[in-house]
Amino acid sequence: MSDRAWPFLKMHGLGNDFVVLDARARALDLTPERVRAIASRGTGVGCDQLVVMTQATDPCADATMLIYNADGSEVAACGNASRCVAWLLMKEIAADKVVFQTKAGLLDAESRGPHQVAVDMGPARLDWREIPLAEAVDTLHLGISAGPLADPVGVSMGNPHAVFFVDDAEAVNLAQLGRGLEHHALFPERANIEVAQVLTPPDAEMGRIRMRVWERGAGITMACGTGACATLVAAARRGLSPRKAEIILDGGTLTIEWLKDGHVLMTGPVAVAFTGTLDSSLLP
């Protein structure tokens, strides 16, 4: 194999799919153009996000995870990608627990069975400066709207989210409304947009919420781990759900729990779809 060739894994968590590259042994020269080329479903491998593993700079971490959206922009957090990287690291070092570094902080992960991973996604951030928003507003009621969508909750899981509660998540034309809301002036770093339908009463032992997502820089995706976390936090803050719930996404179900210490625990599956080697035209 040429030393210019780059092996990759194609992985997904509930259909939210990733190209995973290991750059721990040699440097990887990525540009937004190269990310877009790899992520293209017509002429590249195709993915929602490109994930790169590099050497950790924190002595507590087993590796660092870098995340790039399909549009070439870099982001700090991705829940489904976190489970995929955690699974790879656990398999590599034959351990049931790992710690890895992201631009949103250190994340702890552990195995919950074959191809099942739980990740502590860190604390939900609820202050307007942390999301961030362009002005000081109550993050429990952001006061923006688009078509039938109104009054979202703002949450950051290391990336910004606006969660809209609706009577019927399937009826929302997210393809039409998502892009405009992502780029709303209230969100200086853009935002992930969720529409959520609560299916159980607030006093249920375990909640159930149907959620669909428009991901910042990717559009509609089958699943979004941080979006599922943000949705559960938003529902609990509104008094619509208990602090633990099954979040039902287009690609399947994640179990999310907002712990008493403010951290959010996400549990769900990972899968390897295929492996391959990137042509030098994609990474010259």
Side-chain angles (χ1 to χ4, degrees):
M1 182 182 294
S2 165
D3 61 4
R4 295 175 64 194
W6 277 96
F8 70 86
L9 285 86
K10 179 68 179 291
M11 300 188 71
H12 72 89
L14 301 180
N16 186 196
D17 62 337
F18 315 102
V19 171
V20 183
L21 302 176
D22 188 346
R24 287 175 291 177
R26 55 181 170 141
L28 175 61
D29 183 18
L30 275 180
T31 64
E33 292 75 21
R34 288 172 184 169
V35 172
R36 290 194 291 269
I38 295 167
S40 170
R41 297 190 185 277
T43 56
V45 180
C47 61
D48 294 325
Q49 279 91 21
L50 175 65
V51 178
V52 180
M53 297 168 61
T54 64
Q55 292 286 354
T57 58
D58 191 303
C60 296
D62 296 291
T64 291
M65 177 178 71
L66 303 175
I67 312 151
Y68 301 87
N69 282 331
D71 68 356
S73 59
E74 187 175 3
V75 294
C78 177
N80 288 313
S82 297
R83 294 201 316 280
C84 289
V85 168
W87 182 85
L88 287 172
L89 289 172
M90 285 188 283
K91 184 178 178 183
E92 178 182 290
I93 65 177
D96 290 330
K97 296 182 179 181
V98 291
V99 178
F100 55 97
Q101 190 174 357
T102 73
K103 292 198 171 181
L106 293 177
L107 299 183
D108 296 287
E110 64 180 55
S111 174
R112 291 293 174 86
H115 291 84
Q116 289 281 330
V117 176
V119 179
D120 181 342
M121 295 298 294
R125 299 168 178 89
L126 308 176
D127 186 88
W128 69 272
R129 300 170 189 85
E130 297 174 307
I131 291 176
L133 302 177
E135 59 185 89
V137 298
D138 178 3
T139 60
L140 196 56
H141 299 279
L142 294 188
I144 65 173
S145 63
L149 300 180
D151 191 29
V153 180
V155 180
S156 172
M157 291 303 309
N159 54 359
H161 295 267
V163 183
F164 292 85
F165 290 98
V166 297
D167 293 330
D168 184 354
E170 312 297 338
V172 175
N173 190 340
L174 196 55
Q176 180 183 70
L177 300 172
R179 187 177 304 279
L181 287 166
E182 173 192 347
H183 292 271
H184 192 283
L186 187 61
F187 307 119
E189 297 180 6
R190 299 182 291 162
N192 300 279
I193 307 300
E194 288 83 26
V195 293
Q197 176 185 354
V198 179
L199 303 174
T200 48
D203 59 354
E205 184 175 346
M206 167 81 83
R208 293 179 72 244
I209 302 172
R210 172 70 173 111
M211 188 269 275
R212 296 172 58 220
V213 61
W214 174 280
E215 282 202 64
R216 176 182 61 164
I220 292 176
T221 60
M222 295 287 287
C224 176
T226 57
C229 294
T231 294
L232 184 277
V233 169
R237 289 185 72 202
R238 283 270 178 96
L240 301 174
S241 170
R243 293 174 72 101
K244 185 175 183 179
E246 293 180 334
I247 309 298
I248 304 164
L249 305 117
D250 288 347
T253 300
L254 292 172
T255 300
I256 310 296
E257 184 173 7
W258 190 16
L259 303 173
K260 294 299 184 182
D261 64 2
H263 285 229
V264 184
L265 188 66
M266 172 191 61
T267 305
V270 302
V272 177
F274 57 87
T275 63
T277 304
L278 294 177
D279 188 82
S280 60
S281 64
L282 292 173
L283 275 179

